[in-house]
Amino acid sequence: LSILLLSLGLGTTLTFASSHWLLAWMGLEISTLAIIPLMSQHHHPRAVEATTKYFITQAAAAALILFASTTNAWITGQWDINFDLHFFPASMLTMALALKMGLAPVHFWLPEVLQGLDLTTGLILSTWQKLAPFILMCQIMPVNSSLITFLGVTSTLVGGWGGLNQTQLRKILAYSSIAHLGWMILVMQFNQQLALLALIIYIPMTFSTFMIFKTNSSTTVNTLAASWAKTPALTAITPMILLSLGGLPPLSGFMPKWMILQELTKQNIPLTASIAALSALLSLYFYLRVSYAMTLTISPNNLNATTPWRLQTTASTLPLAISATISAMLLPLAPATL
């Protein structure tokens, strides 16, 4: 396990540090290969199927990246990432990295894969595995502007529509991840720092959501209804974190959305900004539905009181406490980030 986790870290770090396309590709490959045993460690048909789907999509994306960077080296004669790309390989790279991250319209693997995994591996997949392609995407900006805007708008809309009638929490989280990445991609062509800020705030929010579901060991919306008997305090805090994911003020999730909308308006594309803002309402609906199921409905079995005795929990709740605080109370720091 430690070897795999170290390789996971190494792959991403390698991609961060590289200025050569081959090295960046190698980093992506290492982190893909390191997470595959983690994904299939539960010998369950669902897990194996998810691992296979993940491997095939990631291998295809990596091959596309390699092809695009080779084509770029063939046309321009250099391998440096920081150098301007030729138009054709740049568009290909953008699509390949979108496939790596699971941006719409190449997002179809993400909900399926996330559904087949346990919550911890799902957490790694939807936070850590997004970092390397994200940084690469930041480094090749600004490329084909209309393609990027198309990816961003489609992702925010798909992330909103897709999660509406889901009952599986992991699929809801997958669609929420697609929508958030769409916001980041939209603003990335104008301001990479802002996109990075959105990612930095998205990670603790997703971390807290996954850890809450793990603490309650629930994977469907219905099983959340019994959580008030297990963890009353956590049940009270959860809606704040979910609404922070939805981007409501005065929670920290509002800060990136607000700044992104401001930046898009500054760049004189109000229509795109309006579509993004309206699609955030779709996402907000399913976060509200999860919060409602968790805090305002009573579980169908008769739990009429909180459990009088509990086994002492062995899991550490400190990371969850820290990330929950971050995802609820970071908004006053907004002027500092500006």
Side-chain angles (χ1 to χ4, degrees):
L1 187 66
S2 52
I3 289 177
L4 291 173
L5 287 174
L6 282 171
S7 310
L8 207 59
L10 169 79
T12 308
T13 319
L14 195 60
T15 310
F16 283 178
S18 63
S19 59
H20 189 288
W21 275 114
L22 259 182
L23 210 57
W25 168 80
M26 251 164 66
L28 290 170
E29 280 294 276
I30 290 174
S31 60
T32 303
L33 290 175
I35 201 175
I36 279 175
L38 293 176
M39 291 166 80
S40 58
Q41 61 183 341
H42 300 284
H43 299 292
H44 188 277
R46 284 281 168 88
V48 174
E49 181 191 354
T51 314
T52 315
K53 282 177 180 167
Y54 181 76
F55 176 70
I56 291 170
T57 47
Q58 297 297 308
L64 253 180
I65 291 171
L66 196 56
F67 178 54
S69 47
T70 315
T71 313
N72 185 56
W74 179 44
I75 296 171
T76 60
Q78 48 76 38
W79 282 92
D80 201 332
I81 289 182
N82 306 317
F83 203 77
D84 279 346
L85 291 162
H86 184 264
F87 178 79
F88 172 62
S91 307
M92 217 166 16
L93 262 167
T94 310
M95 284 314 288
L97 291 170
L99 179 58
K100 273 257 179 225
M101 286 192 284
L103 282 166
V106 282
H107 66 282
F108 292 98
W109 60 273
L110 184 59
E112 309 258 322
V113 167
L114 212 53
Q115 182 53 37
L117 306 178
D118 66 318
L119 291 164
T120 322
T121 323
L123 172 65
I124 296 176
L125 184 67
S126 48
T127 53
W128 184 254
Q129 289 297 87
K130 300 263 189 279
L131 290 174
F134 186 87
I135 298 291
L136 276 183
M137 197 78 117
C138 277
Q139 283 174 324
I140 63 173
M141 286 291 156
V143 284
N144 184 346
S145 168
S146 48
L147 174 66
I148 292 291
T149 311
F150 168 71
L151 282 173
V153 171
T154 333
S155 298
T156 53
L157 284 170
V158 163
W161 279 125
L164 284 185
N165 56 359
Q166 294 294 342
T167 52
Q168 297 286 345
L169 294 175
R170 286 167 292 189
K171 278 192 178 167
I172 288 181
L173 283 168
Y175 281 111
S176 117
S177 162
I178 294 168
H180 278 272
L181 278 168
W183 280 84
M184 294 170 212
I185 290 295
L186 266 180
V187 79
M188 201 189 269
Q189 46 187 330
F190 309 117
N191 188 337
Q192 284 95 35
Q193 284 78 22
L194 202 48
L196 201 57
L197 170 79
L199 183 71
I200 288 168
I201 290 183
Y202 160 77
I203 285 176
M205 293 193 297
T206 309
F207 177 81
S208 346
T209 319
F210 268 103
M211 292 320 270
I212 286 164
F213 295 159
K214 193 172 155 56
T215 311
N216 288 320
S217 61
S218 54
T219 52
T220 59
V221 174
N222 294 342
T223 47
L224 277 178
S227 66
W228 65 274
K230 297 183 203 165
T231 48
L234 194 57
T235 310
I237 297 168
T238 307
M240 294 205 353
I241 294 165
L242 286 167
L243 294 180
S244 179
L245 267 171
L248 282 193
L251 305 161
S252 8
F254 177 58
M255 174 164 59
K257 282 201 165 63
W258 171 32
M259 291 183 178
I260 287 171
L261 286 175
Q262 188 184 357
E263 181 68 37
L264 293 179
T265 327
K266 268 188 205 160
Q267 299 293 342
N268 208 9
I269 41 171
L271 181 66
T272 313
S274 313
I275 294 174
L278 286 172
S279 69
L281 285 175
L282 292 169
S283 307
L284 185 62
Y285 170 74
F286 60 79
Y287 294 128
L288 271 172
R289 213 184 71 207
V290 174
S291 333
Y292 175 79
M294 193 157 178
T295 53
L296 295 172
T297 55
I298 289 181
S299 161
N301 25 16
N302 24 355
L303 302 159
N304 0 353
T306 53
T307 330
W309 58 273
R310 282 193 202 100
L311 292 169
Q312 197 63 38
T313 170
T314 50
S316 161
T317 47
L318 184 65
L320 177 56
I322 295 169
S323 69
T325 313
I326 290 174
S327 43
M329 298 178 185
L330 223 56
L331 190 66
L333 288 181
T337 56
L338 285 173

Coordinates of all heavy atoms in Angstrom, one line a residue, residues 114 118-127 169-170 173 202-219 224 227 230-231 233-235 237-238 241-242 245 290 294 313-325 327:
L114 N -16.6 5.9 -10.5 CA -16.7 6.3 -9.0 C -17.7 5.4 -8.3 O -17.6 5.1 -7.1 CB -17.1 7.8 -9.0 CG -16.6 8.6 -7.8 CD1 -15.1 8.4 -7.7 CD2 -17.0 10.0 -7.9
D118 N -14.8 2.1 -3.5 CA -15.2 2.4 -2.1 C -14.9 3.9 -1.9 O -14.2 4.6 -2.8 CB -14.5 1.6 -1.1 CG -13.0 1.8 -1.1 OD1 -12.4 1.9 -2.2 OD2 -12.4 1.9 0.0
L119 N -15.4 4.5 -0.8 CA -15.3 6.0 -0.7 C -13.9 6.5 -0.6 O -13.7 7.6 -1.1 CB -16.1 6.4 0.5 CG -17.7 6.2 0.4 CD1 -18.4 6.2 1.7 CD2 -18.2 7.2 -0.6
T120 N -13.0 5.8 0.0 CA -11.6 6.4 0.1 C -10.9 6.5 -1.2 O -10.4 7.5 -1.6 CB -10.8 5.5 1.1 OG1 -11.6 5.0 2.1 CG2 -9.6 6.3 1.6
T121 N -11.0 5.4 -2.0 CA -10.4 5.4 -3.3 C -11.1 6.4 -4.2 O -10.5 7.1 -5.0 CB -10.5 4.0 -4.0 OG1 -10.3 3.0 -3.0 CG2 -9.4 3.9 -5.0
G122 N -12.5 6.5 -4.0 CA -13.2 7.5 -4.8 C -12.8 8.9 -4.5 O -12.7 9.8 -5.3
L123 N -12.4 9.1 -3.2 CA -11.9 10.5 -2.8 C -10.6 10.8 -3.5 O -10.4 11.9 -4.0 CB -11.7 10.5 -1.3 CG -11.0 11.7 -0.7 CD1 -11.9 12.9 -0.9 CD2 -10.8 11.5 0.8
I124 N -9.7 9.8 -3.5 CA -8.4 10.0 -4.2 C -8.6 10.3 -5.6 O -8.0 11.2 -6.2 CB -7.5 8.7 -4.0 CG1 -7.1 8.5 -2.6 CG2 -6.2 8.9 -4.8 CD1 -6.3 7.2 -2.3
L125 N -9.6 9.5 -6.2 CA -9.8 9.7 -7.7 C -10.4 11.1 -8.0 O -10.0 11.7 -8.9 CB -10.8 8.6 -8.1 CG -11.2 8.6 -9.6 CD1 -9.9 8.2 -10.4 CD2 -12.3 7.7 -9.9
S126 N -11.3 11.6 -7.1 CA -11.9 12.9 -7.5 C -11.2 14.1 -6.9 O -11.6 15.2 -7.2 CB -13.4 12.9 -7.0 OG -13.5 12.5 -5.7
T127 N -10.1 13.9 -6.2 CA -9.3 15.1 -5.8 C -7.8 14.9 -6.3 O -7.5 15.7 -7.2 CB -9.2 15.2 -4.3 OG1 -8.8 14.0 -3.7 CG2 -10.6 15.6 -3.7
L169 N -25.0 8.2 -3.9 CA -24.2 9.4 -3.4 C -22.9 9.5 -4.3 O -22.5 10.7 -4.6 CB -23.8 9.3 -2.0 CG -25.0 9.3 -1.0 CD1 -24.5 9.1 0.4 CD2 -25.6 10.7 -1.1
R170 N -22.3 8.4 -4.6 CA -21.0 8.5 -5.3 C -21.2 9.1 -6.7 O -20.4 9.9 -7.2 CB -20.3 7.1 -5.4 CG -19.7 6.7 -4.1 CD -19.3 5.3 -4.1 NE -20.5 4.4 -4.1 CZ -20.4 3.1 -4.0 NH1 -19.3 2.5 -3.7 NH2 -21.5 2.4 -4.0
L173 N -21.7 12.8 -6.4 CA -20.4 13.4 -6.2 C -19.6 13.5 -7.5 O -18.9 14.5 -7.7 CB -19.6 12.7 -5.1 CG -20.0 13.0 -3.7 CD1 -19.4 12.0 -2.7 CD2 -19.7 14.4 -3.3
Y202 N -12.3 23.5 -3.8 CA -13.1 22.3 -4.1 C -12.6 21.1 -3.3 O -13.4 20.3 -2.9 CB -13.1 22.1 -5.6 CG -13.4 20.7 -6.0 CD1 -14.8 20.3 -6.0 CD2 -12.5 19.8 -6.5 CE1 -15.1 19.1 -6.4 CE2 -12.8 18.5 -6.8 CZ -14.2 18.2 -6.8 OH -14.5 16.9 -7.2
I203 N -11.2 21.0 -3.2 CA -10.7 19.8 -2.6 C -11.1 19.5 -1.1 O -11.6 18.5 -0.8 CB -9.1 19.7 -2.7 CG1 -8.8 19.4 -4.2 CG2 -8.5 18.7 -1.8 CD1 -7.4 19.4 -4.6
P204 N -11.0 20.6 -0.2 CA -11.5 20.3 1.2 C -13.0 20.1 1.2 O -13.5 19.2 2.0 CB -11.1 21.6 2.0 CG -10.5 22.5 1.0 CD -10.3 21.8 -0.3
M205 N -13.8 20.7 0.4 CA -15.2 20.5 0.4 C -15.5 19.0 0.0 O -16.3 18.3 0.7 CB -15.9 21.4 -0.6 CG -15.8 22.9 -0.2 SD -16.9 24.0 -1.0 CE -16.4 23.9 -2.7
T206 N -14.9 18.5 -1.1 CA -15.1 17.1 -1.5 C -14.6 16.2 -0.5 O -15.2 15.2 -0.2 CB -14.4 16.9 -2.8 OG1 -14.8 17.9 -3.7 CG2 -14.8 15.6 -3.4
F207 N -13.4 16.5 0.1 CA -12.9 15.6 1.2 C -13.8 15.5 2.3 O -14.1 14.4 2.8 CB -11.5 16.3 1.7 CG -10.9 15.5 2.8 CD1 -10.2 14.4 2.5 CD2 -11.1 15.9 4.1 CE1 -9.6 13.6 3.5 CE2 -10.5 15.2 5.1 CZ -9.7 14.0 4.8
S208 N -14.4 16.6 2.8 CA -15.4 16.5 3.9 C -16.6 15.7 3.5 O -17.1 14.9 4.3 CB -15.8 17.9 4.4 OG -15.0 18.9 3.9
T209 N -17.1 15.9 2.3 CA -18.3 15.2 1.9 C -18.0 13.7 1.9 O -18.8 12.9 2.4 CB -18.8 15.6 0.5 OG1 -18.6 17.1 0.4 CG2 -20.2 15.3 0.2
F210 N -16.9 13.3 1.3 CA -16.6 11.9 1.2 C -16.4 11.3 2.6 O -16.8 10.2 2.9 CB -15.3 11.6 0.4 CG -15.5 11.4 -1.1 CD1 -15.4 12.3 -2.0 CD2 -16.0 10.1 -1.5 CE1 -15.6 12.1 -3.4 CE2 -16.2 9.8 -2.8 CZ -16.0 10.8 -3.8
M211 N -15.7 12.1 3.5 CA -15.5 11.6 4.8 C -16.7 11.4 5.6 O -16.9 10.5 6.5 CB -14.5 12.5 5.6 CG -13.1 12.4 5.0 SD -12.5 10.8 4.6 CE -11.8 10.2 6.1
I212 N -17.7 12.3 5.4 CA -19.0 12.2 6.1 C -19.7 11.0 5.7 O -20.2 10.2 6.5 CB -19.8 13.5 5.8 CG1 -19.3 14.7 6.6 CG2 -21.3 13.3 6.2 CD1 -19.8 16.0 6.1
F213 N -19.7 10.7 4.4 CA -20.4 9.5 3.9 C -19.7 8.3 4.4 O -20.3 7.3 4.7 CB -20.4 9.5 2.4 CG -21.3 10.6 1.8 CD1 -21.1 11.0 0.5 CD2 -22.2 11.2 2.6 CE1 -21.9 12.1 0.0 CE2 -23.0 12.3 2.1 CZ -22.8 12.7 0.8
K214 N -18.3 8.4 4.5 CA -17.6 7.2 5.1 C -17.9 7.0 6.5 O -18.1 5.9 7.0 CB -16.1 7.5 4.8 CG -15.2 6.3 5.0 CD -13.8 6.6 4.6 CE -12.8 5.7 5.3 NZ -13.1 4.3 5.1
T215 N -18.0 8.1 7.3 CA -18.3 8.0 8.7 C -19.7 7.4 8.9 O -19.9 6.5 9.8 CB -18.3 9.4 9.4 OG1 -17.1 10.1 9.0 CG2 -18.3 9.3 10.9
N216 N -20.6 7.7 8.1 CA -22.0 7.1 8.2 C -22.1 5.9 7.4 O -23.2 5.3 7.4 CB -23.0 8.1 7.7 CG -23.2 9.3 8.6 OD1 -23.2 9.1 9.8 ND2 -23.3 10.5 8.0
S217 N -21.0 5.4 6.8 CA -21.0 4.3 5.9 C -22.2 4.2 5.0 O -22.9 3.1 5.0 CB -20.7 3.0 6.7 OG -21.7 2.8 7.6
S218 N -22.5 5.2 4.3 CA -23.7 5.2 3.5 C -23.3 5.6 2.1 O -22.5 6.4 1.8 CB -24.7 6.2 4.0 OG -24.1 7.5 4.1
T219 N -24.0 4.8 1.1 CA -23.7 5.1 -0.3 C -24.9 5.5 -1.1 O -24.8 5.8 -2.2 CB -23.0 3.9 -1.0 OG1 -23.9 2.8 -0.7 CG2 -21.6 3.6 -0.4
L224 N -28.8 7.8 4.4 CA -28.3 9.0 5.1 C -29.3 9.4 6.2 O -29.0 10.1 7.1 CB -28.1 10.2 4.2 CG -26.8 10.2 3.4 CD1 -26.8 11.4 2.5 CD2 -25.7 10.4 4.4
S227 N -28.6 8.8 9.8 CA -27.3 9.3 10.3 C -27.5 10.1 11.6 O -26.5 10.3 12.4 CB -26.6 10.2 9.3 OG -27.3 11.3 9.0
K230 N -26.6 8.1 14.5 CA -25.2 7.8 14.7 C -24.3 9.0 15.1 O -23.6 8.9 16.1 CB -24.6 7.2 13.4 CG -25.3 5.9 13.0 CD -24.5 5.5 11.7 CE -25.4 4.6 10.8 NZ -24.9 4.4 9.5
T231 N -24.4 10.0 14.3 CA -23.5 11.2 14.5 C -24.4 12.5 14.4 O -24.4 13.1 13.4 CB -22.5 11.2 13.4 OG1 -23.1 11.0 12.1 CG2 -21.4 10.2 13.6
A233 N -24.0 15.5 15.7 CA -23.3 16.8 15.4 C -22.9 16.9 14.0 O -23.1 17.9 13.3 CB -22.1 16.9 16.3
L234 N -22.4 15.8 13.4 CA -22.0 15.8 12.0 C -23.2 16.0 11.1 O -23.1 16.7 10.1 CB -21.3 14.4 11.8 CG -20.5 14.3 10.5 CD1 -19.5 15.4 10.5 CD2 -19.9 13.0 10.3
T235 N -24.3 15.4 11.5 CA -25.5 15.6 10.7 C -26.0 17.0 10.6 O -26.5 17.5 9.6 CB -26.7 14.7 11.2 OG1 -26.2 13.4 11.4 CG2 -27.8 14.6 10.3
I237 N -23.9 19.6 10.8 CA -22.9 20.4 10.0 C -22.9 20.1 8.5 O -22.7 21.0 7.7 CB -21.5 20.1 10.6 CG1 -21.3 20.5 12.0 CG2 -20.4 20.8 9.8 CD1 -20.1 20.0 12.7
T238 N -23.3 18.8 8.2 CA -23.3 18.4 6.8 C -24.0 19.3 5.8 O -23.4 19.6 4.7 CB -23.9 17.0 6.7 OG1 -23.2 16.2 7.6 CG2 -23.7 16.5 5.3
I241 N -21.8 22.1 4.6 CA -20.7 21.7 3.6 C -21.3 21.4 2.3 O -20.8 21.9 1.2 CB -20.0 20.4 4.2 CG1 -19.3 20.7 5.4 CG2 -19.1 19.8 3.1 CD1 -18.8 19.6 6.2
L242 N -22.5 20.8 2.2 CA -23.1 20.5 0.9 C -23.6 21.8 0.2 O -23.4 22.0 -1.0 CB -24.4 19.6 1.1 CG -24.0 18.1 1.4 CD1 -25.2 17.4 1.9 CD2 -23.5 17.5 0.2
L245 N -20.6 23.4 -1.2 CA -20.3 22.8 -2.6 C -21.2 23.4 -3.6 O -20.8 23.7 -4.7 CB -20.6 21.3 -2.5 CG -19.4 20.4 -2.2 CD1 -19.9 19.0 -2.1 CD2 -18.4 20.4 -3.4
V290 N -29.9 16.1 -1.0 CA -29.1 15.3 0.0 C -29.2 15.8 1.4 O -29.4 15.1 2.3 CB -27.7 15.2 -0.5 CG1 -26.8 14.4 0.5 CG2 -27.6 14.5 -1.8
M294 N -30.9 14.0 4.7 CA -30.0 13.7 5.8 C -30.6 14.3 7.1 O -30.5 13.7 8.1 CB -28.6 14.3 5.5 CG -27.6 13.7 6.5 SD -26.0 13.8 5.8 CE -25.0 13.2 7.2
T313 N -15.2 5.2 18.5 CA -14.7 5.1 17.1 C -13.2 5.1 17.0 O -12.5 5.7 17.8 CB -15.3 6.3 16.3 OG1 -14.7 6.3 15.0 CG2 -15.0 7.6 16.9
T314 N -12.7 4.2 16.1 CA -11.3 4.1 15.9 C -10.8 5.1 14.9 O -9.6 5.5 14.8 CB -10.9 2.7 15.5 OG1 -11.7 2.4 14.3 CG2 -11.1 1.7 16.6
A315 N -11.7 5.5 14.0 CA -11.3 6.4 12.9 C -10.9 7.8 13.5 O -11.6 8.3 14.4 CB -12.4 6.5 11.8
S316 N -9.9 8.4 12.9 CA -9.6 9.8 13.3 C -10.5 10.8 12.7 O -10.7 10.8 11.5 CB -8.1 10.1 12.9 OG -7.9 11.5 13.0
T317 N -11.2 11.6 13.5 CA -12.1 12.6 13.0 C -11.5 14.0 12.8 O -12.1 14.9 12.4 CB -13.3 12.7 13.9 OG1 -12.9 12.9 15.2 CG2 -14.2 11.5 13.8
L318 N -10.2 14.1 13.2 CA -9.6 15.5 13.1 C -9.5 16.0 11.7 O -9.9 17.1 11.4 CB -8.2 15.4 13.7 CG -7.4 16.8 13.8 CD1 -8.2 17.7 14.7 CD2 -6.0 16.6 14.2
P319 N -9.1 15.1 10.7 CA -9.0 15.7 9.3 C -10.4 16.2 8.9 O -10.5 17.2 8.2 CB -8.6 14.5 8.5 CG -7.9 13.5 9.4 CD -8.5 13.8 10.7
L320 N -11.4 15.4 9.2 CA -12.8 15.8 8.8 C -13.2 17.2 9.5 O -13.7 18.0 8.8 CB -13.8 14.8 9.2 CG -15.3 15.1 8.9 CD1 -15.5 15.4 7.5 CD2 -16.1 13.9 9.3
A321 N -12.8 17.3 10.8 CA -13.1 18.6 11.5 C -12.4 19.8 10.8 O -13.0 20.8 10.5 CB -12.7 18.5 12.9
I322 N -11.1 19.6 10.4 CA -10.4 20.7 9.8 C -11.0 21.0 8.5 O -11.3 22.2 8.2 CB -8.9 20.3 9.6 CG1 -8.2 20.1 11.0 CG2 -8.1 21.3 8.8 CD1 -6.9 19.4 11.0
S323 N -11.2 20.0 7.6 CA -11.7 20.2 6.3 C -13.2 20.8 6.3 O -13.5 21.7 5.5 CB -11.7 19.0 5.4 OG -12.6 18.1 5.9
A324 N -14.0 20.4 7.3 CA -15.3 20.9 7.4 C -15.3 22.4 7.8 O -16.0 23.2 7.2 CB -16.1 20.2 8.5
T325 N -14.3 22.8 8.7 CA -14.2 24.2 9.0 C -13.8 25.0 7.8 O -14.3 26.1 7.6 CB -13.1 24.3 10.2 OG1 -13.4 23.3 11.2 CG2 -13.1 25.7 10.8
S327 N -14.3 24.3 4.7 CA -15.3 24.4 3.6 C -16.5 25.2 4.1 O -17.3 25.5 3.2 CB -15.7 23.0 3.1 OG -15.9 22.1 4.2

